[in-house]
Amino acid sequence: MLTERTEILERLDELLVQSARGRGAIAVISGSTAMGKTTMLDAVADMATSAGSTVLSVVSAPHERGLPFAALAQLFHALDARVPGTGVPDIGVPEGARLIGPSGMVGGPPHSAAHDDLVAVARQTHRVVAELAAERPLLITVDDVQHTDAATLFCLRYLAQRLTQLSVTLVLSRGAAVGEQPPRILYDLLYQTSVRRFHLGPLSRAGIRELAASRLPFVPAEELVTEIHTLSVGNPLLVQALIEELRLRAEPDVFAGHFPWASDGSPVKQDPEAELPTGHVFQQVVLACLHRLGPRAVRIAQCIALLDKAATPLLLSRLSGIDAEMIRRYLWLLTGVGVLDGARFRHPGIQQAVLREMPADETTDLRHRAASLLHDNGAPPQAIAVHLLNAGPLCEEWVVPVLQRAARHALAEAEVLEAIRYLELARECCSEEQDRLSVTAHYAYAQWQLRPADSAQHFLTLKGPVIGGRLPAEDSARLAEGMLFHLNLDDGLEVIDQLNDGDGDGEAEADEHMATALHGTRLLMAAEFPGLLDRPRRPLPTTAVSATSTSELRARHALARTLERGADEYAVALAEQVLQGSQSPAPWRLQGLQAALLALCYADELDTARRWYEILVADSRRYDVPVWQGLLETAGALISLRRGQLAEAARQAEIAYSRLSGSRWNISGTFALAILIEARTSMGDHKAAAKHLAPEPPPALFHTRAGLHYLYARGRHHLATGNTYMALSDFLECGTLMHRWNVDTPALVPWRLGAAEAWLRLGDRERAARLVEKQVAMPDTGLTRSRGMALHGLALVQPTAKQPPVLLDAFRQLEISGAWYEAAAVLVELSRAYQQLGEKARARQTARRAWRLAKSCGAESMCQALLPTTMPKSTETKESAAPSVGDRSDQGGFGGLSESERRVAILAAQGYANREIADRLFITVSTVEQHLTRVYRKMGIRNREQLLVGAHAVSYETV
């Protein structure tokens, strides 16, 4: 491979010609490893042979540097092979030659016997060479002269000083000799005034382009040439390897479909993941370069591969045992040949190749040492833990805390599997029982994040140590909460009682941590397990919740306060404060974030809750934590359900249930199940709802907030399927529990309205009226959705003549809150009231409006109930056959409309007449008609009915 070497070859050819005329010459070709020095010597030898010269070649090696005359012996063996029977005597090792030291100087006095012997050998060498050169021109090449033994260098210097009258060309190649002290006689040889020097540097882009064009079946594109140059730094050997990789990939039937470059050499743009191939050929060439540079270069490369991003010259020196200055020299050299870029490998494939080549026992030892050095140097725990994980247990005092901190960091980055591996190794490294218990507690919490439904046993196995007081308060509280999560209520309460029975005479800091942990547990019980609040033997301590409290504590406090007081302004503000700090939520805060979302939802702040949910969903895509995804989707399902997006609620609840549920019941899985049942019931899919209700729930469930949702959802299903008494029983049981637990807010579950509906179906209007009137008489706590539902219930227990104004008021409340399913139900009752009062036109108009709204919610049973009685058959056919706006992907729904057109379109889709729209928007009827004409044209539709798909996604406040 002689690309960009033509000029040097021409000048060397001139030296051969000069030498053939009896004027001997000496040349030195220098360059770093793999720059093509040996290839140049071979080319010169070929030129000399073609010109009729005799060629003798010597290759020096590092392991022969200490053997006197080792290289000279090669020379004479080559001579005997070229000219058999020349009678050249065996040189042997002259007596006293062993006195030649590393410096290349003869030991002892200047005229010692050793020096005389060396001179005698040098003269004999000169005589033999001169006799051979008299017959024909002679070329002598010595490859890697820096490794030549000092005795041979003495003879070569002697010969070089007497070349001017001989037809002899002496060409030497010299490579890098980092870490070696060459004999001084080498400098005497190389730096004579007559020496011609040539340096081989890396290839330029033009050289790479030329070489690639000669080896590849296409003309390389400039991007390809640049990428090769960047990765190889122009090192000819690496360039050849990369080109060979490309050639192999270009071969048909071998790498079909994987070649990242088109046939014309241009990059394949449709494959953004494609990279320059750096496979086996390239990696083996890099390893060869390292081994050429010697064992120290290999050792340094191994240490860099192990330390990775933590590699520094100082750490490399301490790990490898090589002097720091020598480390810097090798880093410079390896950067120059394209292996490294500073203290980093240029390509991760090289790092992996170096690691794969290392013996297993050596790798283990180095990794343990690397971990220890990084720990002493204050490196991050995750950087240390990687080495421990790949090397196996190391029983030193600092190891377990490092692995635990690394596990916490991994959990923060949603790398749950990696955290579990750290904790498993930490358990193997524990020598103290206390440490093992602490690690096991963290392991249980990590397993809960990965497999929430199957993690119950991990918590229960630690009950004994907790009862024995062998775990810190925070860990013990987490374990108790884990037991409660799986509805192991008695076990969880026993742990809580144990923690709460402390005498408080410990250290003040420990007592404070205990009080904070127990207060967090109390808030969790208030929010999730209200039926357990009176079960502990002693009241749990309370501490002030402030802006400096943890986000989880603040979120629990906001949720508990909302359940107790309704749309409390402080609770809403506290929930939003938690969510505002959740732009990058850590998994250990996920329960707090769900609690904050639920607090907003139970405060009827549905639009705000939806906005925050979408923010969290967008950010959660970088997390692969099943429990986090399940909890988030559960909150999203409840929000969608209360906004009337039934199909979306069912989809989200299905996802949440699949991630959270298992063979045993738990509160989060049950919560998702309850939302799913209620959504399916509202959609009219009673068969699916019944299937989910088939398993018998455990009694412990009915001490939880999720149990209330389950009871209410089951009651709705019973009511929809005609099991009125069973429905009434479920609703009344909800009321009993909620009253007992002091969470009697309709925003949780409106049990009174459900029970009133059941009494009405049973014909007991008086009992229904008492329940509804009590609900309406409750203090207004800002719950707009709940207020609208209560007004709807109130209208149902009044005479028909009084119903319309109450229903209209209810519709406005529900419209404001964005509760479209309940709003559609109100319009259904309003239509019936108008029908009974003889106002047929208003009844039909309201029914149409109710149908469109119910259709947009996915409430098929409500739509079917409306169609036969209040809508003409022709309209039904027309509605079902009409193209959906949502099917026109090129129109983008309401997205292509102006703000004014969008407002008109929304009101029109909700059933308002043109005059009503004009009055609400303070514009003329003519303007409304013009807007609607443009809306129909832009959206590609023909009538108001086709507006419903996009309408329900926009709240009243937008209008």
Side-chain angles (χ1 to χ4, degrees):
M1 197 284 298
L2 299 171
T3 302
E4 296 190 324
R5 308 303 194 222
T6 306
E7 182 180 349
I8 295 177
L9 279 175
E10 290 175 351
R11 293 169 65 184
L12 288 170
D13 188 45
E14 292 174 2
L15 288 181
L16 293 175
V17 173
Q18 172 189 321
S19 176
R21 295 172 180 170
R23 297 173 58 195
I26 179 171
V28 176
I29 302 173
S30 63
S32 190
T33 300
M35 288 298 165
K37 300 183 295 297
T38 301
T39 303
M40 286 294 293
L41 288 182
D42 293 341
V44 173
D46 290 341
M47 289 191 302
T49 301
S50 300
S53 301
T54 300
V55 178
L56 302 178
S57 298
V58 175
V59 179
S60 299
H63 63 274
E64 295 181 338
R65 188 184 300 114
L67 301 176
F69 299 108
L72 193 61
Q74 283 189 57
L75 180 64
F76 280 107
H77 287 313
L79 176 60
D80 190 48
R82 287 273 186 171
V83 190
T86 54
V88 179
D90 185 15
I91 296 175
V93 180
E95 184 180 355
R98 65 184 182 277
L99 300 176
I100 302 176
S103 65
M105 299 300 292
V106 179
H111 300 291
S112 66
H115 185 270
D116 291 341
D117 289 342
L118 276 174
V119 172
V121 174
R123 286 173 178 170
Q124 185 179 7
T125 302
H126 179 267
R127 178 181 61 77
V128 172
V129 169
E131 290 175 358
L132 187 59
E135 298 177 7
R136 61 170 64 182
L138 175 63
L139 170 66
I140 299 174
T141 66
V142 181
D143 199 4
D144 283 334
V145 70
Q146 74 274 9
H147 299 317
T148 303
D149 61 275
T152 300
L153 289 174
F154 183 90
C155 298
L156 290 176
R157 185 188 65 174
Y158 186 93
L159 178 62
Q161 291 171 338
R162 293 161 177 80
L163 286 181
T164 54
Q165 303 302 318
L166 301 176
S167 296
V168 176
T169 306
L170 182 60
V171 181
L172 315 173
S173 76
R174 182 193 180 193
V178 179
E180 302 170 1
Q181 184 61 42
R184 279 180 284 176
I185 194 171
L186 177 63
Y187 296 107
D188 294 339
L189 172 63
L190 298 180
Y191 292 101
Q192 296 184 54
T193 56
S194 59
V195 172
R196 302 289 296 276
R197 298 179 183 84
F198 304 96
H199 183 74
L200 299 183
L203 298 179
S204 66
R205 285 180 173 80
I208 293 173
R209 187 185 305 107
E210 177 187 345
L211 182 60
S214 68
R215 302 284 182 90
L216 295 174
F218 55 82
V219 177
E222 196 60 36
E223 293 93 334
L224 174 59
V225 172
T226 299
E227 194 170 354
I228 293 175
H229 184 271
T230 300
L231 187 55
S232 66
V233 198
N235 182 325
L237 195 61
L238 301 188
V239 170
Q240 287 185 88
L242 291 170
I243 292 174
E244 178 65 11
E245 294 269 14
L246 284 169
R247 188 188 66 77
L248 290 174
R249 285 204 178 188
E251 289 183 357
D253 305 324
V254 178
F255 292 94
H258 299 283
F259 184 53
W261 308 95
S263 58
D264 61 353
S266 61
V268 178
K269 301 300 184 183
Q270 64 266 29
D271 185 9
E273 299 296 325
E275 295 180 353
L276 187 66
T278 53
H280 178 75
V281 174
F282 175 74
Q283 292 172 12
Q284 291 304 307
V285 167
V286 172
L287 292 176
C289 286
L290 289 172
H291 284 283
R292 284 189 189 183
L293 291 170
R296 280 192 286 194
V298 174
R299 185 64 155 185
I300 291 170
Q302 292 172 343
C303 294
I304 292 174
L306 287 173
L307 291 173
D308 197 21
K309 296 179 181 180
T312 63
L314 180 59
L315 279 177
L316 288 171
S317 175
R318 296 175 64 186
L319 182 59
S320 65
I322 300 173
D323 179 73
E325 178 58 33
M326 196 63 64
I327 292 288
R328 281 187 280 271
R329 293 183 184 181
Y330 271 104
L331 293 179
W332 176 84
L333 175 62
L334 291 170
T335 298
V337 300
V339 177
L340 297 180
D341 182 6
R344 306 282 187 277
F345 286 104
R346 286 193 175 273
H347 192 277
I350 303 175
Q351 180 181 10
Q352 296 306 313
V354 171
L355 290 174
R356 282 196 300 269
E357 192 188 41
M358 294 177 65
D361 55 346
E362 185 178 342
T363 303
T364 298
D365 180 63
L366 269 181
R367 282 201 180 276
H368 279 156
R369 290 172 55 197
S372 182
L373 286 172
L374 288 170
H375 174 259
D376 293 342
N377 203 51
Q382 57 272 21
I384 305 170
V386 169
H387 296 289
L388 296 171
L389 198 62
N390 288 288
L394 180 63
C395 295
E396 294 190 15
E397 186 178 350
W398 56 269
V399 171
V400 173
V402 164
L403 287 171
Q404 286 183 292
R405 289 196 296 272
R408 283 196 292 270
H409 183 272
L411 290 176
E413 296 299 320
E415 296 167 348
V416 183
L417 285 173
E418 185 175 344
I420 289 174
R421 292 173 64 200
Y422 289 148
L423 294 169
E424 288 173 342
L425 178 61
R427 283 198 295 190
E428 294 184 52
C429 297
C430 288
S431 57
E432 300 290 335
E433 180 65 17
Q434 186 72 23
D435 292 338
R436 185 174 290 105
L437 290 173
S438 178
V439 170
T440 305
H442 287 92
Y443 181 79
Y445 186 56
Q447 284 287 357
W448 175 76
Q449 295 195 35
L450 183 65
R451 301 180 185 89
D454 303 322
S455 60
Q457 195 58 36
H458 295 294
F459 295 106
L460 290 175
T461 55
L462 289 164
K463 176 184 172 183
V466 174
I467 298 299
R470 288 179 283 164
L471 276 172
E474 185 176 358
D475 290 345
S476 299
R478 283 285 186 198
L479 293 173
E481 293 173 8
M483 295 172 193
L484 296 180
F485 174 87
H486 289 285
L487 299 175
N488 296 311
L489 304 186
D490 292 337
D491 297 296
L493 287 169
E494 190 175 350
V495 170
I496 292 170
D497 284 335
Q498 171 65 27
L499 295 175
N500 197 30
D501 284 346
D503 52 16
D505 58 356
E507 296 182 4
E509 185 177 354
D511 290 341
E512 183 179 351
H513 286 166
M514 177 68 77
T516 301
L518 286 172
H519 181 54
T521 301
R522 191 191 72 79
L523 289 176
L524 175 70
M525 292 169 67
E528 301 284 355
F529 306 92
L532 301 182
L533 274 176
D534 60 349
R535 292 274 299 276
R537 289 195 297 262
R538 292 171 50 185
L540 296 179
T542 60
T543 59
V545 176
S546 65
T548 60
S549 300
T550 65
S551 60
E552 188 172 9
L553 202 64
R554 284 179 282 139
R556 290 178 179 180
H557 182 51
L559 177 54
R561 189 175 175 112
T562 302
L563 294 176
E564 183 181 343
R565 305 187 185 186
D568 181 77
E569 291 184 4
Y570 173 73
V572 170
L574 196 59
E576 287 208 74
Q577 183 190 63
V578 170
L579 293 166
Q580 285 167 358
S582 65
Q583 300 304 309
S584 297
W588 60 62
R589 298 172 54 202
L590 49 88
Q591 287 178 294
L593 296 178
Q594 189 209 33
L597 283 176
L598 293 179
L600 294 176
C601 194
Y602 290 137
D604 284 353
E605 298 285 344
L606 299 181
D607 288 341
T608 304
R610 180 70 183 183
R611 186 179 73 251
W612 280 112
Y613 165 76
E614 290 173 349
I615 292 173
L616 292 177
V617 165
D619 191 70
S620 71
R621 293 190 180 98
R622 65 190 183 96
Y623 292 116
D624 187 19
V625 184
V627 75
W628 165 230
Q629 295 169 346
L631 293 177
L632 183 59
E633 288 301 328
T634 302
L638 183 64
I639 295 168
S640 296
L641 177 66
R642 297 196 170 191
R643 284 168 53 89
Q645 298 169 309
L646 303 180
E648 178 67 5
R651 184 191 68 82
Q652 292 169 306
E654 288 274 14
I655 294 173
Y657 185 64
S658 66
R659 283 171 165 76
L660 297 170
S661 65
S663 58
R664 299 182 52 173
W665 292 68
N666 63 66
I667 56 166
S668 295
T670 303
F671 188 18
L673 179 65
I675 297 170
L676 179 58
I677 293 168
E678 188 173 349
R680 290 295 182 193
T681 299
S682 299
M683 294 170 69
D685 190 355
H686 304 309
K687 184 177 180 180
K691 179 181 177 181
H692 291 303
L693 284 166
E696 182 71 20
L701 177 64
F702 302 109
H703 293 276
T704 70
R705 175 174 54 82
L708 295 175
H709 281 281
Y710 182 86
L711 275 175
Y712 182 77
R714 191 171 69 181
R716 297 304 311 175
H717 171 72
H718 288 325
L719 198 61
T721 54
N723 296 316
T724 309
Y725 281 108
M726 295 177 67
L728 181 62
S729 175
D730 283 338
F731 293 139
L732 293 177
E733 180 63 19
C734 274
T736 300
L737 295 177
M738 293 171 69
H739 181 72
R740 182 188 304 161
W741 300 342
N742 194 29
V743 290
D744 192 2
T745 170
L748 180 54
V749 290
W751 69 270
R752 288 187 180 85
L753 301 181
E757 189 174 351
W759 282 123
L760 282 174
R761 293 197 183 186
L762 293 171
D764 196 334
R765 180 177 293 272
E766 183 180 349
R767 287 188 178 182
R770 285 203 299 268
L771 284 171
V772 172
E773 288 167 359
K774 186 171 183 179
Q775 182 68 67
V776 173
M778 293 180 70
D780 186 358
T781 54
L783 297 172
T784 53
R785 173 179 173 272
S786 300
R787 178 68 177 174
M789 294 174 67
L791 290 173
H792 180 194
L794 180 63
L796 295 181
V797 298
Q798 290 186 348
T800 303
K802 295 183 178 181
Q803 287 184 1
V806 179
L807 289 172
L808 286 172
D809 192 12
F811 180 78
R812 281 191 291 269
Q813 294 287 330
L814 294 169
E815 190 179 32
I816 289 172
S817 68
W820 299 110
Y821 174 75
E822 286 78 12
V826 168
L827 290 179
V828 170
E829 296 298 336
L830 184 59
S831 172
R832 289 174 182 168
Y834 285 143
Q835 185 79 15
Q836 292 175 13
L837 293 173
E839 300 183 37
K840 306 296 185 181
R842 294 182 102 179
R844 284 195 298 271
Q845 181 185 22
T846 306
R848 290 179 187 276
R849 226 172 132 188
W851 187 92
R852 287 192 293 268
L853 205 49
K855 187 71 174 176
S856 70
C857 293
E860 292 299 328
S861 58
M862 189 181 296
C863 291
Q864 293 301 319
L866 281 165
L867 284 173
T869 57
T870 58
M871 299 188 69
K873 187 173 181 181
S874 59
T875 304
E876 178 184 355
T877 304
K878 179 175 155 185
E879 294 287 354
S880 58
S884 169
V885 177
D887 294 334
R888 300 175 178 271
S889 57
D890 57 329
Q891 299 297 331
F894 284 2
L897 305 181
S898 69
E899 184 63 26
S900 299
E901 292 165 351
R902 188 166 176 266
R903 292 177 178 177
V904 170
I906 292 169
L907 292 174
Q910 292 176 357
Y912 288 101
N914 288 358
R915 169 61 64 186
E916 292 174 312
I917 297 173
D919 292 341
R920 289 173 70 90
L921 298 180
F922 303 102
I923 57 178
T924 65
V925 175
S926 175
T927 302
V928 172
E929 293 170 349
Q930 294 172 22
H931 281 328
L932 285 175
T933 300
R934 287 193 292 269
V935 167
Y936 294 161
R937 185 177 66 251
K938 288 182 179 181
M939 298 183 68
I941 59 178
R942 293 172 297 177
N943 52 47
R944 293 185 177 217
E945 284 74 13
Q946 296 175 30
L947 286 172
L948 65 88
V949 173
H952 87 286
V954 184
S955 69
Y956 174 86
E957 292 176 335
T958 305
V959 183

